[in-house]
Amino acid sequence: MPVPSASSAEPNSRRPAPSGLWRDADFRRLWVGQTASQLGGHASLVVLPLLAVLTLHASAGELGVLRAVGQAPILLLSLFAGAWVDRWRTRTTMVLTDVGRALALGAVAVAGLFGGLGMSGLLALAFAIGALSVFFDVAYQASLVRLVERDHLVRGNSALEGSRSAAQTGGPVLGGALVSLLSAPIAAASSALFFALSFLSIRRIRRIETMPERPDEPRTGDDHGGTTYRTTAPRIWRRIHEGLRFVVGDSLLRVVCLASAAFQFSFAAMMTVYLLFLPRELHLSGTVVGLALAAAGPGALLGSLLAARLPSRFGYGTVLVCAAALGDGVFLCVPALHGASAVTVPALLAVGFVFGFGGQLVNVTVMAVRQSVTPDGLQGRAAATITFAGMGLTPLGSLAGGFLAGEWGLRTGLLVMAAGMLLSPVVMALSPLARLGRELPAPYDTPPTAGRTNSPDLTRET
């Protein structure tokens, strides 16, 4: 049963989608815009803290507060963003958030250049940029389902997640280089240009995005090929509850949430110990630590490329479980490292590469499964609910990692937390996810009602 999408819902309202993904001009515009937005977002994650340190002379405590404020919208607004995106056209959401982030960074640049920027103002703008980024990220994930055919979901996700991985690696490097070559305020203005480029690209998407019909909001009219709905919308909390109920009631998405929560908690704890272990136990410099972390980027790019091919050959369940076990299990090698940097550094680079490769295979495959089983009217809320469930435990994971490192030592604490990361592939291996074949599972046409379990067919294989 195919997912209703923007490319199939109202064929008379616009031209049909091209048969090849990269021949589709609208997909290329989405990809260019999303890539530019990700670069701007990850560059600003470095530019804003450096601006606080170099221009405002922020203390370590103030810098920690700035980072926390910028990340807070992930926990505070993810569920609201999902409900919002499911009621608006994703193109509109992405364009508005691009404009907002460009203006916010422009305000940072102007205030910084003229000496009018204070810490309180920077905190407010960092929160605004983080909040708008949450809405953009949920919207671009939901937009793919409305833009391309179901058969192109995996390749489309592979392209979008590949650019996101490249931005995660290149964005911080770009942001640091801009601050070094120019100045922190001008670097902020330069980062704003990426959001402007994203705006210009996404606004050129021509395909009419058909809003999914919702059972609680029947059609009342048709305006120039678009759908009009009653203005008496359900309350935001009711819509959030619908998303939560759908994810919890679906056997596949419920496991995705559990596996994501297990991974994010253990990964946050492991990274807290890892960032102490490298300089203190292995005596590595900050530059080498940065290289070890950046090694995940090339691995993620390779994972994105292969994610478009491996599931159709080996099956989605096999790829998910094996990639998670490989990517998460590789960190068990790190506590065993001793000796000179000539030995430890190549090993750490290999660990980062394998982790990025396996992690990206899981990301792309899980996203394709989630998009496939979720009706169009719940795409935003499903994505936001899973993000909320995964990221919600990261602060507790960081605290647990610091506690275990202090109680048991860095090497033992790292080993325990690395072993804990294997809980995620174990959860998937014991679940219906592991039984997925070479075809994506089919969704129900409508959201599940109270008391119904949405359980897609897991036995279909080509």
Side-chain angles (χ1 to χ4, degrees), residues 304-332:
S304 295
L305 294 174
L306 293 181
R309 302 175 181 271
L310 294 182
S312 61
R313 181 172 182 180
F314 299 105
Y316 285 87
T318 300
V319 169
L320 272 174
V321 174
C322 292
L326 176 66
D328 297 347
V330 71
F331 275 102
L332 288 171

Side-chain angles (χ1 to χ4, degrees), residues 72-433:
I74 298 175
L75 295 177
L76 299 177
L77 300 177
S78 290
L79 296 178
F80 291 96
W84 175 282
V85 166
D86 282 338
R87 292 187 54 79
W88 282 68
R89 286 179 168 81
T90 55
R91 174 183 175 274
T92 302
T93 302
M94 289 186 287
V95 165
L96 291 177
T97 55
D98 280 333
V99 171
R101 289 181 292 179
L103 291 176
L105 281 172
V108 169
V110 172
L113 287 172
F114 291 96
L117 183 65
M119 196 63 196
S120 59
L122 185 60
L123 289 172
L125 290 169
F127 183 87
I129 293 169
L132 292 170
S133 295
V134 168
F135 280 83
F136 182 94
D137 289 345
V138 173
Y140 92 74
Q141 293 181 45
S143 70
L144 186 67
V145 181
R146 304 179 191 177
L147 191 65
V148 306
E149 299 288 349
R150 182 172 180 269
D151 292 343
H152 291 154
L153 279 179
V154 177
R155 292 186 182 274
N157 281 316
S158 178
L160 294 177
E161 290 300 296
S163 63
R164 184 178 67 86
S165 297
Q168 286 178 330
T169 302
V173 176
L174 176 64
L178 289 173
V179 172
S180 299
L181 296 175
L182 305 172
S183 67
I186 296 178
S190 301
S191 298
L193 295 178
F194 287 101
F195 295 122
L197 174 60
S198 178
F199 164 79
L200 293 174
S201 181
I202 291 175
R203 72 184 294 269
R204 294 180 63 239
I205 294 176
R206 298 296 179 225
R207 193 164 303 143
I208 297 175
E209 183 178 335
T210 303
M211 296 298 293
E213 186 172 357
R214 292 173 283 272
D216 57 343
E217 295 173 87
R219 298 187 181 196
T220 60
D222 202 69
D223 184 14
H224 303 294
T227 300
T228 304
Y229 297 95
R230 289 179 181 173
T231 57
T232 56
R235 293 181 179 180
I236 189 71
W237 287 110
R238 179 183 172 188
R239 295 188 58 77
I240 291 173
H241 180 260
E242 289 171 356
L244 289 168
R245 185 177 61 181
F246 173 76
V247 171
V248 172
D250 185 278
S251 58
L252 296 180
L253 299 185
R254 184 169 61 244
V255 174
V256 169
C257 277
L258 292 174
S260 176
F263 169 78
Q264 294 293 350
F265 176 87
S266 300
F267 181 69
M270 190 278 300
M271 282 302 296
T272 301
V273 185
Y274 188 66
L275 292 174
L276 294 170
F277 179 81
L278 296 187
R280 294 184 181 178
E281 289 288 330
L282 301 184
H283 308 291
L284 301 178
S285 67
T287 301
V288 176
V289 172
L291 287 174
L293 296 176
L301 288 176
L302 179 61
S304 295
L305 294 174
L306 293 181
R309 302 175 181 271
L310 294 182
S312 61
R313 181 172 182 180
F314 299 105
Y316 285 87
T318 300
V319 169
L320 272 174
V321 174
C322 292
L326 176 66
D328 297 347
V330 71
F331 275 102
L332 288 171
C333 302
V334 177
L337 294 179
H338 295 81
S341 58
V343 176
T344 58
V345 172
L348 290 172
L349 294 177
V351 166
F353 182 89
V354 172
F355 171 73
F357 171 75
Q360 194 66 359
L361 269 177
V362 173
N363 289 342
V364 174
T365 308
V366 162
M367 190 175 295
V369 171
R370 188 261 298 164
Q371 291 171 338
S372 178
V373 302
T374 304
D376 277 7
L378 284 164
Q379 286 288 340
R381 282 170 285 175
T385 299
I386 293 171
T387 298
F388 178 82
M391 298 299 295
L393 293 179
T394 53
L396 294 177
S398 297
L399 292 175
F403 174 78
L404 290 179
E407 291 293 319
W408 297 348
L410 294 178
R411 200 173 292 273
T412 303
L414 183 61
L415 179 62
V416 171
M417 290 299 98
M421 290 174 63
L422 290 175
L423 179 61
S424 179
V426 168
V427 168
M428 288 191 284
L430 299 177
S431 76
L433 275 176

Side-chain angles (χ1 to χ4, degrees), residues 22-37:
W22 289 106
R23 291 198 296 270
D24 186 341
D26 284 332
F27 173 77
R28 293 199 304 270
R29 290 164 184 149
L30 172 65
W31 178 77
V32 169
Q34 182 257 3
T35 301
S37 178

